């Protein structure tokens, strides 16, 4: 097992190095590097450790996200903005399911992509994947979703501040638009602070409120699939995964007490590194030939989901006041 964990860590460190020097998302580098060394997975002693990293270390990274958000964040944004974010997340997942069915894809793929687009990109994709029923295409679908949301998030980081200018949005509306529509936290930060420091602060806060909805959404998805609402899935009574319990516990602690900044900073670094090496492991588990056979439909699905949440937020902005 140790050899697989070690190779995942090495690939993750390489991804972080490349990200720091070339400016592209670390998770995207981790995926690509993981795919490049996927020959280390099948039929080697690394397999067990890579599986462990892709599942258990992933859950640690998701649980630690709880320290990034607090219940009080919703109060700062106001109930209208909070309600808009709920509607945006739920409707994006719903649209994902409908489009997946229309495109001849599995509904669970629509749930996976819709949740990733609606909540927090690659992190949400991995958290949702962790509670979806096991399937032969599960790793492939997770990989496709992570690649897609990371790519669209990076494009949005560049384009959305321009879109905000075209629509003559004020600084507050621009912040909510950026934080409510861009998939990954890092890209929200990049887009927000490219406008101004106050815009960056509010955009990041808006995004973290979306992250706070990760737990209830993942729990609902878990209950739906465990209760056999999707055709053909058989399972026993729903059990709440430990990483969701950890997420809620840490978010509650962060809401009730003032956690020292150095603790939250260390937890954020550990979470980020855990997620990066987990994505590297998922990349190593992937079969590139399977990914290439999927075609353009998943990319179109992700694009339409991205356009949906962006259009919804833009249309609702005139009715908000915080």
């Amino acid at each position: 097992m140790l050899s697989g964990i070690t190779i995942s860590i090495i690939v993750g460190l390489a991804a972080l190095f490349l990200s720091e020097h070339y400016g592209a998302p670390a998770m995207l580098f981790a995926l690509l590097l993981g795919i490049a060394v996927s020959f280390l997975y099948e039929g080697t002693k690394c397999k067990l450790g890579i599986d462990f990293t892709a599942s258990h270390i992933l859950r640690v990274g998701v649980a630690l996200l709880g320290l990034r958000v607090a219940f009080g964040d919703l109060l700062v944004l106001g109930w209208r903005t909070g309600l808009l974010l709920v509607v945006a997340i739920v409707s994006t997942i719903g649209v994902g399911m409908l489009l997946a069915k229309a495109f001849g894809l599995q509904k669970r793929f629509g749930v996976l992509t819709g949740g990733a687009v609606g909540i927090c990109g690659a992190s949400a994709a991995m958290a949702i994947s962790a509670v979806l029923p096991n399937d032969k295409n599960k790793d492939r679908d997770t990989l496709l979703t992570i690649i897609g949301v990371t790519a669209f998030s990076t494009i949005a980081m560049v384009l959305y501040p321009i879109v905000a200018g075209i629509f003559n949005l004020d600084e507050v509306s621009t912040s909510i638009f950026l934080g409510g529509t861009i998939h990954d936290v890092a890209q929200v930060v990049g887009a927000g602070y490219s406008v101004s420091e106050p815009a960056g602060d509010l955009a990041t806060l808006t995004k973290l409120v979306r992250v706070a909805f990760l737990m209830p959404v993942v729990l609902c998805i878990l209950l739906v699939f465990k209760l056999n609402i999707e055709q053909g899935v058989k399972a026993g009574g729903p059990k709440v995964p430990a990483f969701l319990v950890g997420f809620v516990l840490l978010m509650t602690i962060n809401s009730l007490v003032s956690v020292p900044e150095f603790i939250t900073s260390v937890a954020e670094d550990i979470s980020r590194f855990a997620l990066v090496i987990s994505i590297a492991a998922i990349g190593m588990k992937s079969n590139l030939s399977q990914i290439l056979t999927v075609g353009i439909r998943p990319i179109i699905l992700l694009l339409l989901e991205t356009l949906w949440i962006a259009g919804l937020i833009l249309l609702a902005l005139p009715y908000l006041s915080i």
Side-chain angles (χ1 to χ4, degrees):
M1 179 184 290
L2 185 59
S3 58
I5 296 174
T6 301
I7 192 63
S8 300
I9 291 173
I10 291 172
V11 173
L13 289 171
L16 290 171
F17 174 83
L18 291 172
S19 174
E20 201 171 299
H21 286 77
Y22 295 99
M27 291 189 179
L28 182 58
F29 277 126
L31 268 178
L32 297 176
L33 292 174
I35 293 172
V37 295
S38 59
F39 60 87
L40 294 172
Y41 180 68
E42 287 294 345
T44 72
K45 61 181 181 179
C46 296
K47 186 176 187 298
L48 189 61
I50 292 171
D51 286 335
F52 179 86
T53 304
S55 57
H56 297 289
I57 294 182
L58 161 64
R59 288 163 169 80
V60 172
V62 173
L64 287 172
L65 289 175
L67 276 179
R68 301 180 67 171
V69 292
F71 299 124
D73 293 339
L74 276 173
L75 300 177
V76 174
L77 288 180
W79 70 269
R80 289 186 179 88
T81 304
L83 179 60
L84 173 60
L85 294 177
V86 172
V87 171
I89 292 168
V90 173
S91 65
T92 302
I93 295 174
V95 166
M97 294 176 66
L98 291 173
L99 289 176
K101 183 178 180 180
F103 290 169
L105 301 168
Q106 289 183 311
K107 283 194 296 184
R108 70 182 66 183
F109 185 69
V111 172
L112 179 64
T113 56
V117 169
I119 305 174
C120 55
S123 301
M126 292 190 289
I128 292 170
S129 177
V131 299
L132 288 176
N134 288 324
D135 179 82
K136 65 178 181 179
N137 295 323
K138 184 175 178 179
D139 287 335
R140 181 203 68 186
D141 291 345
T142 304
L143 188 67
L144 276 169
T145 302
I146 292 170
I147 292 173
V149 295
T150 303
F152 283 128
S153 188
T154 303
I155 293 170
M157 178 180 66
V158 178
L159 292 183
Y160 281 11
I162 299 174
V163 171
I166 292 173
F167 282 90
N168 295 316
L169 300 181
D170 60 32
E171 193 168 74
V172 172
S173 296
T174 297
S175 303
I176 295 174
F177 172 62
L178 298 177
T181 57
I182 298 177
H183 311 330
D184 286 310
V185 175
Q187 278 79 352
V188 170
V189 171
Y193 284 104
S194 71
V195 176
S196 69
E197 187 169 338
D201 291 341
L202 184 55
T204 303
L205 175 62
T206 305
K207 179 61 184 179
L208 291 180
V209 170
R210 283 170 69 194
V211 175
F213 289 114
L214 177 63
M215 182 278 298
V217 169
V218 171
L219 183 57
C220 288
I221 292 171
L222 172 70
L223 291 172
V224 167
F225 281 101
K226 287 291 185 180
L227 292 175
N228 197 25
I229 291 180
E230 183 180 71
Q231 183 181 14
V233 176
K234 299 290 184 182
K239 298 178 181 178
V240 180
F243 77 92
L244 285 185
V245 175
F247 182 98
V248 175
L249 180 62
L250 291 175
M251 187 169 70
T252 302
I253 292 172
N254 194 37
S255 302
L256 297 178
V257 301
S258 179
V259 180
E261 186 177 345
F262 81 92
I263 293 180
T264 58
S265 177
V266 169
E268 184 175 340
D269 289 341
I270 294 173
S271 174
R272 179 170 180 255
F273 186 62
L275 293 175
V276 166
I277 67 174
S278 298
I279 291 182
I282 291 172
M284 284 184 267
K285 292 178 64 177
S286 68
N287 187 323
L288 188 58
S289 61
Q290 284 185 345
I291 297 173
L292 295 176
T293 61
V294 174
I296 195 67
R297 291 175 299 168
I299 302 302
I300 296 176
L301 173 61
L302 281 162
L303 175 61
L304 292 176
E305 290 167 344
T306 299
L307 293 175
W308 167 266
I309 193 171
L312 179 64
I313 297 290
L314 272 176
L315 289 173
L317 282 174
Y319 305 98
L320 298 182
S321 59
I322 66 170

